[in-house]
């Protein structure tokens, strides 16, 4: 399965190179990169035969689909990513029960993000509800991943936690770029790097049993 890492990097680089030159046709490379995480997840699910792992695979498929939809209809893409995060939460809940620490982590993340963007909430306009809802499920993924790590102390849970954090940071950079109306190359590179790291860490964690 390690060849999927190289292919993910290759497809990611091809997407970055052709994004401006080929327009929406370059999205095939974006989805292909995420499909490597899906393949890693499927491999793990076939090894473990557990429902939770297949739920995670379904979440990764939602991410792969959202990769394309996000560039065509942004809000629908956000809904798909939100669905993916809900599936991740559902899978994590099959591995560990939420505790008081889950809610403390969730509240801390949500409060921090709110404080960072509090001056720009008005710029969200009619999409405030979607933004607050999406941040809730994203914070929920991170909180559940860390709860799992605190409870299991396993490599699998560690990868889930790092992947969830990569998702959180990547999406915060996207939000920051949108509300400040800036399109910097460094932002785009960082967003894609963190995003692909997130999906691959989550996908590869499926087949790590310790």
């Amino acid at each position: 399965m390690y060849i999927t890492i190289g292919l993910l990097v290759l497809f990611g680089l091809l997407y970055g190179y052709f994004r401006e030159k080929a327009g929406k046709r370059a999205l095939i490379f974006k989805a292909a990169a995420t499909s490597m995480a899906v393949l890693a997840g499927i491999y793990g699910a076939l090894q473990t035969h557990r429902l939770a792992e297949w739920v995670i695979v379904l979440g990764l498929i939602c991410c792969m689909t959202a990769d394309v939809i996000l560039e065509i209809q942004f809000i629908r893409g956000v809904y798909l990513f939100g669905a993916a995060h809900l599936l991740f939460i559902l899978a994590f809940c099959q591995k560990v029960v939420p505790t008081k620490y889950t809610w403390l982590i969730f509240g801390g993340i949500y409060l921090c993000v709110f404080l960072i963007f509090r001056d720009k909430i008005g710029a969200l306009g009619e999409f405030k509800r979607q933004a607050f809802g999406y941040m809730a499920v994203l914070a929920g993924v991170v909180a559940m991943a860390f709860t799992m790590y605190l409870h299991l102390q396993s490599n699998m849970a560690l990868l889930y936690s790092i992947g969830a954090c990569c998702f959180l940071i990547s999406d915060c950079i996207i939000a920051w770029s949108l509300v400040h109306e800036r399109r910097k190359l460094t932002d785009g590179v960082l967003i894609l790097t963190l995003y692909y790291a997130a999906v691959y860490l989550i996908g590869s964690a499926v087949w790590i049993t310790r």
Side-chain angles (χ1 to χ4, degrees):
M1 288 304 297
Y2 292 106
I3 191 174
T4 55
I5 299 175
L7 289 173
L8 183 147
V9 173
L10 174 62
F11 288 134
L13 290 172
L14 287 171
Y15 171 67
Y17 181 77
F18 287 108
R19 183 176 183 180
E20 298 298 330
K21 297 182 179 181
K24 289 183 171 56
R25 288 177 297 175
L27 291 174
I28 186 70
F29 295 119
K30 188 180 184 185
T34 308
S35 72
M36 296 301 104
V38 175
L39 287 177
I42 291 173
Y43 174 79
L46 289 172
Q47 302 299 311
T48 60
H49 304 290
R50 291 194 295 258
L51 178 61
E53 275 64 31
W54 285 110
V55 174
I56 288 172
V57 169
L58 186 56
L60 291 170
I61 291 172
C62 284
C63 289
M64 183 177 66
T65 307
D67 280 341
V68 177
I69 302 299
L70 193 73
E71 302 292 337
I72 300 171
Q73 293 183 311
F74 184 78
I75 291 300
R76 290 190 179 183
V78 171
Y79 281 136
L80 266 174
F81 272 120
H85 295 317
L86 285 172
L87 288 167
F88 294 150
I89 292 172
L90 179 60
F92 295 166
C93 284
Q94 294 179 49
K95 295 175 179 292
V96 65
V97 177
T99 67
K100 62 181 180 180
Y101 297 109
T102 309
W103 295 107
L104 286 172
I105 297 168
F106 172 85
I109 293 170
Y110 205 89
L111 179 61
C112 287
V113 174
F114 175 80
L115 292 174
I116 291 171
F117 291 99
R118 67 185 185 280
D119 295 332
K120 294 295 182 179
I121 291 175
L124 296 172
E126 62 182 306
F127 301 117
K128 288 180 184 177
R129 185 171 59 182
Q130 290 91 334
F132 281 110
Y134 181 79
M135 184 47 61
V137 295
L138 186 56
V141 172
V142 179
M144 280 303 303
F146 272 95
T147 301
M148 194 193 319
Y149 181 69
L150 290 172
H151 181 72
L152 301 178
Q153 294 286 308
S154 64
N155 293 330
M156 172 194 69
L158 178 61
L159 290 183
Y160 282 136
S161 299
I162 298 172
C165 285
C166 287
F167 249 125
L168 175 65
I169 298 169
S170 175
D171 285 349
C172 283
I173 296 173
I174 291 174
W176 186 267
S177 298
L178 286 173
V179 297
H180 288 86
E181 298 181 347
R182 71 179 198 178
R183 292 174 59 87
K184 295 179 66 175
L185 178 62
T186 51
D187 286 352
V189 171
L190 189 55
I191 288 166
L192 283 178
T193 300
L194 287 168
Y195 168 67
Y196 286 135
V199 291
Y200 196 83
L201 285 168
I202 291 172
S204 61
V206 171
W207 52 275
I208 292 178
T209 57
R210 299 194 307 275

